[in-house]
Amino acid sequence: MHTISPYLAEFLGTLIMCTIGCGAIATVELRRSKGHGDNFFTIAFGWGFAVAFGVYASHPYSGGHLNPAVSVGLAAFGEFDWAKVPGYVIAQLLGAMAGAGLVYLNYLPHWKATADQKIKLGVFSTVPAIHNYFTNALSEIIGTFMLVFSALYTGVNFKPTITTGGVELSLNLNDVLKPLAFGFMVAVLVVGLGGQTGYALNPARDLGPRIMHALLPIHNKGTSRWFYSWVPVFAPLVGGFMGGAFFKLYYESEFTLWVVISSACAIALLGFAYWANSHLYRAPSAEVIPQGEDTQATAARAAATYTATGSIPIIEKRTYQQTKFGSEKLQSLRDVIPSVRGT
C-alpha cells in the first residue's frame, strides 16, 4: 500500500471533515439555499458522515484523529506518542482552515443574501444557544469525554476469528467499521447533547474556521466572537484528556497520573468559566432571530406569544343594496317598473 505522511493525512482528513460538516450547516442556515430551513438532524448527521469520510481517508496513514482532543486523549491512554501531538494539531488546524475556505467559495453568493451575522459565523464555528461560560464549558467537556472514551472502546470487538477447513482466519475490521462507528457516534452526541453549544467537540474544527471567518471578505460578516473562542478550544481538550486517562483506568485497571492531572485541569477550567460569567463579556442569548431571518419555527413561536396592541378594527357588514352591484341592479329595476305600469 502506498504510504503518505501522517501529517498530510491528518490535514486532508480534517479538510474533508470540515468541508462536508460546515457545508451541511451552510445548506441549512444560509438564505436561498436549497436546503434552507431544514432541521438540526440534517446538521448532526451531516457532521457525522463528514467525520466518517474524513477518518476513512486518513485512518490507514495517521490513525484518523482529525481532532486535537482525540490526539491528546490517545496520548494519555498510551496509544500515541506525545511528541507527535503538536505536529498533528497543526495539521488538523490547517486542514480545518482549508475546509472552511472551500465552504466559503462554494456558497459565495449566499453570504450577501443572508442578513443575520450570527448565522454566518455559525457556519464556521459554534455559537451557544445561551451564552453561559460555565455551562457551555461543562457541556463541551462532557461531550468530548464521551467521544474519546467511546472512540477508544470502539474497535475492541471488531476482530472476529473465522475457522475454515481447520484454518483460523483473523479479520481486522477496524479499517472498515471504525470510521463509520466514529461518524454515528458524533451524530448521536450532537443530537443528544449538542443543543446547548452546537458542539465543537474539536478545537481545530472551531478555531480553524473561526480564523477563516475573521480573514475572509464575507459580506457584512460582523464579529468573530473571539470572547467565546476559548471555550470550544480548551473544554474539548480537557474532555478528551480525561476520556483517554479514564479509559486507561476502566479498560486496563491502571491508575495513572494523567487521571489526576486531567481532573485537575477540568476543575480549573470550570472554575475559571464560573468566574468568567461575572467578569468577562457575555453576548445576549443567541436564540433571538432577527425578523429578516424568520423561519416557520420562529413564526410559530411569534404567533404563540403574540400580544395584541391597539384596538381591533371593526368592519361593518354591508347589505346587498349597499354594494356597487346591488345599487346598480336596484336602479335598473326602478327604471323598468314605471314603464311596466304604463302598459
Side-chain angles (χ1 to χ4, degrees):
M1 181 180 70
H2 176 70
T3 59
I4 63 175
S5 166
Y7 303 107
L8 178 59
E10 285 295 302
F11 170 83
L12 293 175
T14 312
L15 184 152
I16 292 170
M17 178 186 71
C18 282
T19 301
I20 300 174
C22 292
I25 301 175
T27 297
V28 172
E29 297 288 1
L30 294 182
R31 297 285 289 182
R32 300 187 67 181
S33 161
K34 291 290 187 179
H36 175 68
D38 211 339
N39 56 45
F40 192 59
F41 288 92
T42 300
I43 296 174
F45 280 91
W47 266 106
F49 283 109
V51 171
F53 285 107
V55 174
Y56 271 124
S58 58
H59 185 262
Y61 311 105
S62 66
H65 298 186
L66 315 185
N67 184 342
V70 172
S71 299
V72 169
L74 289 174
F77 176 59
E79 279 195 0
F80 189 62
D81 186 359
W82 280 103
K84 294 182 178 179
V85 171
Y88 266 53
V89 171
I90 293 173
Q92 293 155 1
L93 182 63
L94 294 176
M97 292 174 66
L102 291 178
V103 172
Y104 164 74
L105 293 175
N106 187 73
Y107 286 95
L108 201 56
H110 294 267
W111 305 111
K112 190 172 183 179
T114 305
D116 192 344
Q117 297 175 346
K118 177 181 67 66
I119 286 178
K120 295 177 186 179
L121 175 61
V123 171
F124 292 88
S125 55
T126 56
V127 178
I130 298 177
H131 189 176
N132 183 302
Y133 288 116
F134 178 80
T135 58
N136 298 157
L138 179 61
S139 179
E140 291 285 349
I141 290 174
I142 293 172
T144 316
F145 175 91
M146 295 291 294
L147 174 67
V148 173
F149 191 92
S150 302
L152 283 167
Y153 202 83
T154 302
V156 170
N157 298 318
F158 285 179
K159 299 177 181 179
T161 300
I162 300 176
T163 302
T164 305
V167 179
E168 286 191 352
L169 299 176
S170 181
L171 302 178
N172 186 350
L173 300 181
N174 278 326
D175 290 344
V176 178
L177 298 180
K178 207 167 186 179
L180 194 60
F182 286 166
F184 277 109
M185 190 191 313
V186 169
V188 169
L189 282 172
V190 172
V191 170
L193 300 173
Q196 184 184 168
T197 65
Y199 259 3
L201 304 176
N202 184 335
R205 168 265 176 275
D206 190 275
L207 181 59
R210 196 182 296 268
I211 292 173
M212 294 303 289
H213 177 271
L215 296 178
L216 290 170
I218 302 169
H219 178 80
N220 191 30
K221 63 183 176 182
T223 176
S224 299
R225 299 198 179 198
W226 290 105
F227 54 83
Y228 176 75
S229 63
W230 61 270
V231 173
V233 170
F234 292 106
L237 282 174
V238 170
F241 192 10
M242 291 182 67
F246 277 86
F247 185 81
K248 186 83 169 177
L249 177 62
Y250 164 75
Y251 188 66
E252 298 184 357
S253 300
E254 183 179 341
F255 185 88
T256 65
L257 186 61
W258 297 128
V259 173
V260 178
I261 295 176
S262 63
S263 300
C265 288
I267 294 171
L269 182 65
L270 290 174
F272 176 79
Y274 184 82
W275 173 87
N277 273 338
S278 56
H279 292 81
L280 298 183
Y281 174 78
R282 282 198 294 165
S285 295
E287 69 271 13
V288 179
I289 299 179
Q291 290 288 340
E293 299 296 332
D294 216 1
T295 63
Q296 289 184 355
T298 54
R301 183 172 69 246
T305 59
Y306 174 73
T307 303
T309 57
S311 58
I312 300 176
I314 299 176
I315 301 177
E316 295 182 0
K317 184 177 180 181
R318 301 172 67 185
T319 63
Y320 175 77
Q321 292 86 349
Q322 290 176 317
T323 64
K324 181 179 180 181
F325 176 79
S327 60
E328 291 177 352
K329 197 73 174 177
L330 186 60
Q331 184 61 41
S332 62
L333 288 174
R334 288 172 179 171
D335 293 340
V336 171
I337 289 174
S339 61
V340 173
R341 286 177 178 176
T343 60

